[in-house]
Amino acid sequence: MLNEIDLSRVDLNLLVLFEVVLEERHVGQAAERLSLSPSAVSHGLGRLRRLLNDPLFLRTPKGVVPTERAMDLAAPVADILTRTRSVIATAEPFDAATSTRRFKIGAPDGVSAVFLSPLLSALHVSAPGVDISVRQILPPRAVRTTDSVWDPVLPDIEARAMDIAVVPADNAVPARFVARALYEEDFVIAMRAGHPFSKNPTLNAYCQEQHLVVSLTGDAYGFVDDFLAEQGRKRRAALTVPNFMFALGVISETDLIAALPRSFLAMYSRYFGLVGVEPPLPLIRSRICAITSKAALMDAGVAWLFDLLERTARPSATG
């Protein structure tokens, strides 16, 4: 780890140089991107090698290849540069019409698939240079209730690993955060068109079907199974998949059924030939909220995006 004396010798441009060489895998092409001479890039790499005590990039007939140490450094360097660029960007007055900033939003795909289309349409009109990165997040455990299940997301917001999270949130967030409700969401039972269950959606039939469960960890047991156990019943979770978009493709080509968010299914069912029926048992209903920190809202760009999400994030059945 660098000590304070070492840090006083570090030129941030060396990290930018590292990032570009890693992407290009070629000193000449990196020099062209950076508007430098190849010798200047080579000189910078020499400084980095001495600083980090590693060759970092090895020459080949077709360019350079990163060492194992360089690959280990790739993510930390990218994170440092992302945060630095964000700090510099927030120091400038924010004008959505001319901004070229990139914002990061964290959300489950069953939620991001609902709010992204209207958000992108609004950006196209009012902020054509603004870019969005969506980070896929899902509960770290099988969901039995929305109470506190999304709490692990809060430290990531505070650390600015994401600017805003859009998640189910029925409880009040800690005072240092702000949450705004975007829409209400509940679940329906989804299946391919013509599936026998759509004509007989009873609890008995539900228990006899084979189920697909969306689970990041592969844990198929959740609040549905708690309810069934109370009734002396159980179901077979024949398959788990890590996200809702994956689930759409699978159930469209199999006899598996799955509980999917109502708004999400309404937007995409016609593309996959799916139908949804009301569940014969209690399923989660929750508010979908945009959450950020009060500190992040001091950034005019984040505050603008937070307001824009609140105005545009309305479920649509048109996709």
Side-chain angles (χ1 to χ4, degrees), residues 292-312:
T292 193
S293 67
K294 289 181 178 178
L297 285 178
M298 296 178 68
D299 174 341
V302 174
W304 166 81
L305 181 61
F306 202 54
D307 290 340
L308 185 63
L309 269 170
E310 186 177 25
R311 295 197 305 270
T312 61

Side-chain angles (χ1 to χ4, degrees), residues 195-254:
H195 194 293
F197 183 73
S198 64
K199 299 177 181 178
N200 182 39
T202 64
L203 185 58
N204 283 337
Y206 178 84
C207 294
Q208 293 169 5
E209 296 293 341
Q210 295 187 33
H211 297 255
L212 178 150
V213 176
V214 176
S215 169
L216 181 64
T217 63
D219 180 0
Y221 192 94
F223 75 96
V224 168
D225 302 283
D226 287 335
F227 172 82
L228 292 176
E230 292 172 359
Q231 307 297 314
R233 300 171 182 266
K234 60 181 181 180
R235 64 173 178 170
R236 177 186 171 191
L239 177 68
T240 71
V241 297
N243 57 64
F244 290 105
M245 292 301 295
F246 194 167
L248 292 176
V250 173
I251 63 176
S252 70
E253 297 181 347
T254 68

Side-chain angles (χ1 to χ4, degrees), residues 72-96:
D72 289 341
L73 289 170
V77 168
D79 184 58
I80 290 169
L81 292 176
T82 296
R83 292 171 186 266
T84 303
R85 287 164 179 146
S86 178
V87 168
I88 294 172
T90 59
E92 301 174 354
F94 181 78
D95 180 0

Side-chain angles (χ1 to χ4, degrees), residues 5-240:
I5 296 175
D6 291 325
L7 285 175
S8 69
R9 297 171 24 237
V10 175
D11 180 354
L12 185 63
N13 287 320
L14 293 178
L15 299 186
V16 177
L17 184 148
F18 173 89
E19 179 184 58
V20 175
V21 174
L22 185 65
E23 291 176 357
E24 295 293 338
R25 308 292 173 95
H26 194 282
V27 170
Q29 292 172 7
E32 185 175 345
R33 273 184 57 181
L34 294 167
S35 298
L36 297 172
S37 67
S39 62
V41 173
S42 296
H43 177 70
L45 287 177
R47 292 175 61 193
L48 267 176
R49 288 170 178 135
R50 291 190 294 273
L51 184 67
L52 299 173
N53 195 30
D54 187 87
L56 296 178
F57 297 97
L58 305 176
R59 293 187 179 275
T60 73
K62 294 184 178 181
V64 296
V65 294
T67 64
E68 183 177 353
R69 171 68 169 151
M71 294 304 297
D72 289 341
L73 289 170
V77 168
D79 184 58
I80 290 169
L81 292 176
T82 296
R83 292 171 186 266
T84 303
R85 287 164 179 146
S86 178
V87 168
I88 294 172
T90 59
E92 301 174 354
F94 181 78
D95 180 0
T98 60
S99 176
T100 56
R101 282 184 63 179
R102 176 177 295 275
F103 296 94
K104 183 177 290 186
I105 301 175
D109 69 314
V111 173
S112 60
V114 172
F115 72 72
L116 266 181
S117 180
L119 176 63
L120 293 176
S121 294
L123 291 177
H124 178 72
V125 173
S126 63
V130 167
D131 296 322
I132 300 293
S133 292
V134 176
R135 172 181 167 184
Q136 160 79 342
I137 54 176
L138 279 174
R141 60 184 186 276
V143 175
R144 291 164 174 77
T145 171
T146 56
D147 294 348
S148 303
V149 73
W150 297 101
D151 284 358
V153 172
L154 300 182
D156 285 344
I157 298 174
E158 208 156 31
R160 297 301 294 272
M162 64 182 82
D163 297 298
I164 299 169
V166 183
V167 295
D170 291 320
N171 291 340
V173 296
R176 62 189 186 278
F177 295 91
V178 177
R180 293 182 186 170
L182 303 183
Y183 62 93
E184 297 284 329
E185 185 64 283
D186 63 350
F187 283 73
V188 293
I189 308 302
M191 68 214 75
R192 62 170 177 78
H195 194 293
F197 183 73
S198 64
K199 299 177 181 178
N200 182 39
T202 64
L203 185 58
N204 283 337
Y206 178 84
C207 294
Q208 293 169 5
E209 296 293 341
Q210 295 187 33
H211 297 255
L212 178 150
V213 176
V214 176
S215 169
L216 181 64
T217 63
D219 180 0
Y221 192 94
F223 75 96
V224 168
D225 302 283
D226 287 335
F227 172 82
L228 292 176
E230 292 172 359
Q231 307 297 314
R233 300 171 182 266
K234 60 181 181 180
R235 64 173 178 170
R236 177 186 171 191
L239 177 68
T240 71

Side-chain angles (χ1 to χ4, degrees), residues 257-318:
I257 65 174
L260 299 181
R262 184 186 299 270
S263 302
F264 171 71
L265 183 65
M267 291 184 72
Y268 295 97
S269 59
R270 63 191 179 100
Y271 300 114
F272 290 87
L274 303 177
V275 297
V277 299
E278 296 300 321
L281 72 169
L283 295 181
I284 288 176
R285 182 179 184 87
S286 60
R287 292 179 306 156
I288 305 300
C289 293
I291 301 174
T292 193
S293 67
K294 289 181 178 178
L297 285 178
M298 296 178 68
D299 174 341
V302 174
W304 166 81
L305 181 61
F306 202 54
D307 290 340
L308 185 63
L309 269 170
E310 186 177 25
R311 295 197 305 270
T312 61
R314 298 289 181 269
S316 168
T318 63

